[in-house]
Amino acid sequence: MIDTGTQARTQKLARCMHCGQISYLPDAHHDYQCPRCHEPLSFRIPGSIHKTWALVITAAILYIPANTFPVMTVISFGRGHPDTIFSGIVYLVQAGMYPIAFLVFFASIIVPLFKLIGLTILLLSIQFRWQINMRQATVMYRFIHFIGRWSMLDLFMISILVTLVNLGSIATIATGAGSTAFASVVVLTMLAAHTFDPRLIWDLLEDSPERLNGPEPGNSPERETTALSETIAPND
Amino acid sequence: MESSAHVTVCPDCDLVLARPDIQQRQNANCPRCGAELYRVVDSMLGKTLAATLSGLILYIPANTLPIMTFEIFDLDSTNTMVNGAYQLFMSGYWWMAFLVLMCSVVVPLLDLVLLFIISWRIRFSCKTAFTKKCLLWQQTIEEWGMLEVYMIGILIAYIKMIDMGNIIVDTGLYCFIGMLLSTMIASTVFDTETAFNMLDEQDKNQPGNKGEPA
Ligand SMILES: [Zn+2]
Ligand SMILES: [Zn+2]
């Protein structure tokens, strides 16, 4: 018998991240394999916090050259005009292309910044056990995970323009060093969102039982865990 | 108090939940954090097969035919999916070229091929071990296919260039849009956990079919 409405980990249950299989893991320090898909199985992503920190910090450092170096240079009639991400947006605004300016601003500046700040807040609130609204934090995480890919927009646009405007001496478009840094920021923040384990947000509940809606910790019966092995153990 | 067969765990917040009986075409969400617990799509395999097959047919023209042509004075240059990445590579931006090629050309193809193979193998009850491997691969690469982002990239490039000269939309773009729609339909219809559940059923009914990876 299993208690519903509690953290699965407190009942030694783990959901496989790959196939959704629910397994009973009696010993937290043992290396398990999912019985269904044979991938490594654990309660949480191993080293999630440290790996995410490493990726977020590297991405934050690269965010600076990504925004200060030119990403694209328009060369027409022999004169070069280098553009950073921001000056490219300013140019779009001056040309009156407001919807596109907004789209590029959102995808290239807001999204990476939001991802970096959002993940930092999540990591800090887990490490320092801040009182956060866990549902909002989870929704924010899902949004960060979903929105990350859209930062590739500027890079795709550059790759299209580079071939589209390839007219020798009249006009060519060349890539700039900033785009390499920017590409790395996109990849690193996507990997960071992937490595972060949102279940850690809800583990904050375990140490502050007053925030649980369910029964008091004293009432949660210890004997339930012994019966579990009979119900789930056949999965190895 | 529930037995293990009637229990599910939220992937995002680790909450233990009683597995509700859901009707066809209904999704279940976690009451605590709102995560999608699972979804039910009827005739998932048939729909995925149809969508991936049409996507694969359109893949070749979408990648080889010109997408747009830009004309100014007597000069013109065309853009295809692949030569954008090639141009970047030739000018020394190999990391960016690699990323663009991966996200817009390689991964979308792998995604379509894997989804097709998976649906085919489940539909015709092939050995489950290799199908499971394909499912895991598909899950890993899925996130890096970015056709819809590329589409908006084309749109922005088009609008940016419209004042500068004469810009012509080519056949490749229509094939690309078709391929994009097929891919989007396939990934909306297809659900990894449902596929694993189907494989479990097959393992139960035909124990000899388990097999080792081919
Ligand atoms: Zn698994
Ligand atoms: Zn949940």
Side-chain angles (χ1 to χ4, degrees):
Chain A
M1 288 295 136
I2 300 163
D3 272 327
T4 54
T6 56
Q7 293 294 93
R9 185 170 71 169
T10 60
Q11 307 192 53
K12 301 192 174 183
L13 292 176
R15 181 194 166 106
C16 175
M17 286 170 57
H18 304 279
C19 70
Q21 171 80 35
I22 294 154
S23 307
Y24 175 74
L25 310 183
D27 175 13
H29 302 292
H30 193 272
D31 287 332
Y32 289 99
Q33 225 185 27
C34 173
R36 179 150 81 166
C37 69
H38 308 297
E39 289 292 297
L41 185 64
S42 52
F43 292 112
R44 300 289 176 263
I45 298 173
S48 171
I49 298 274
H50 297 290
K51 287 180 197 163
T52 314
W53 264 128
L55 292 163
V56 166
I57 291 168
T58 321
I61 294 167
L62 283 168
Y63 188 75
I64 299 162
N67 280 283
T68 48
F69 282 93
V71 287
M72 194 170 85
T73 306
V74 181
I75 306 152
S76 63
F77 299 107
R79 281 188 301 138
H81 175 63
D83 263 326
T84 61
I85 291 174
F86 192 74
S87 73
I89 295 165
V90 171
Y91 167 78
L92 286 173
V93 171
Q94 283 166 351
M97 298 189 231
Y98 299 113
I100 294 189
F102 175 76
L103 210 60
V104 176
F105 180 68
F106 184 76
S108 308
I109 295 193
I110 298 292
V111 168
L113 208 58
F114 181 79
K115 287 180 80 174
L116 290 174
I117 294 171
L119 284 171
T120 307
I121 291 172
L122 289 175
L123 288 166
L124 287 174
S125 49
I126 288 166
Q127 285 194 309
F128 295 103
R129 315 199 151 274
W130 289 347
Q131 300 273 322
I132 47 164
N133 183 322
M134 296 181 189
R135 190 182 168 108
Q136 277 174 14
T138 313
V139 170
M140 181 172 84
Y141 166 74
R142 276 201 289 270
F143 184 69
I144 287 172
H145 205 168
F146 161 80
I147 204 83
R149 54 205 284 111
W150 285 93
S151 300
M152 285 292 285
L153 184 63
D154 221 40
L155 298 179
F156 288 150
M157 193 189 69
I158 291 167
S159 88
I160 294 163
L161 287 179
V162 162
T163 44
L164 199 58
V165 186
N166 189 15
L167 303 167
S169 58
I170 292 179
T172 47
I173 289 179
T175 330
S179 60
T180 301
F182 186 76
S184 308
V185 172
V186 177
V187 171
L188 288 168
T189 50
M190 278 184 75
L191 289 174
H194 200 82
T195 321
F196 182 79
D197 194 334
R199 292 170 294 187
L200 292 169
I201 300 168
W202 296 86
D203 286 344
L204 294 169
L205 280 174
E206 281 174 18
D207 305 294
S208 50
E210 72 276 6
R211 284 203 276 171
L212 266 173
N213 297 324
E216 287 293 295
N219 299 341
S220 62
E222 290 277 317
R223 60 197 126 82
E224 301 299 340
T225 45
T226 48
L228 263 176
S229 51
E230 289 145 35
T231 52
I232 307 195
N235 294 331
D236 292 338
Chain B
M1 305 278 159
E2 304 280 345
S3 83
S4 66
H6 303 111
V7 147
T8 186
V9 173
C10 174
D12 279 8
C13 74
D14 213 31
L15 180 70
V16 182
L17 290 154
R19 186 181 275 272
D21 287 320
I22 52 166
Q23 304 288 314
Q24 291 273 295
R25 290 169 182 279
Q26 256 191 316
N27 303 352
N29 288 80
C30 171
R32 188 165 75 171
C33 76
E36 185 186 82
L37 294 171
Y38 48 90
R39 65 187 136 143
V40 180
V41 183
D42 47 21
S43 56
M44 175 180 104
L45 298 177
K47 285 177 185 169
T48 312
L49 277 173
T52 48
L53 194 63
S54 58
L56 285 169
I57 292 168
L58 288 166
Y59 181 84
I60 297 165
N63 277 278
T64 49
L65 295 180
I67 289 194
M68 288 187 288
T69 302
F70 180 65
E71 289 178 345
I72 188 165
F73 308 125
D74 284 338
L75 297 158
D76 64 83
S77 54
T78 52
N79 154 255
T80 64
M81 300 277 292
V82 185
N83 75 11
Y86 177 75
Q87 198 91 2
L88 289 174
F89 187 80
M90 290 318 275
S91 49
Y93 291 94
W94 54 268
W95 166 231
M96 202 181 143
F98 170 78
L99 261 185
V100 170
L101 195 69
M102 273 296 166
C103 299
S104 63
V105 179
V106 178
V107 173
L109 176 65
L110 284 177
D111 196 28
L112 285 172
V113 169
L114 283 171
L115 282 177
F116 182 80
I117 293 176
I118 292 162
S119 313
W120 181 276
R121 290 183 67 94
I122 300 177
R123 174 78 181 73
F124 297 104
S125 308
C126 299
K127 292 210 187 309
T128 57
F130 183 66
T131 317
K132 285 182 182 178
K133 278 269 171 287
C134 293
L135 273 163
L136 292 171
W137 290 330
Q138 193 271 336
Q139 202 176 37
T140 315
I141 60 153
E142 193 187 20
E143 202 184 342
W144 300 93
M146 304 183 187
L147 290 180
E148 76 280 21
V149 184
Y150 197 89
M151 181 66 230
I152 303 296
I154 294 174
L155 196 73
I156 292 181
Y158 177 80
I159 298 171
K160 260 190 156 178
M161 300 313 295
I162 207 159
D163 292 338
M164 309 249 210
N166 197 10
I167 189 154
I168 304 152
V169 170
D170 283 315
T171 341
L173 185 62
Y174 301 113
C175 298
F176 177 80
I177 292 171
M179 178 179 77
L180 168 66
L181 290 176
S182 309
T183 308
M184 284 170 80
I185 291 168
S187 57
T188 320
V189 167
F190 188 80
D191 179 56
T192 307
E193 212 184 321
T194 311
F196 269 110
N197 291 339
M198 287 172 167
L199 290 173
D200 272 359
E201 287 298 310
Q202 291 183 2
D203 280 342
K204 231 178 276 170
N205 298 335
Q206 301 146 282
N209 205 20
K210 242 181 161 174
E212 285 308 308

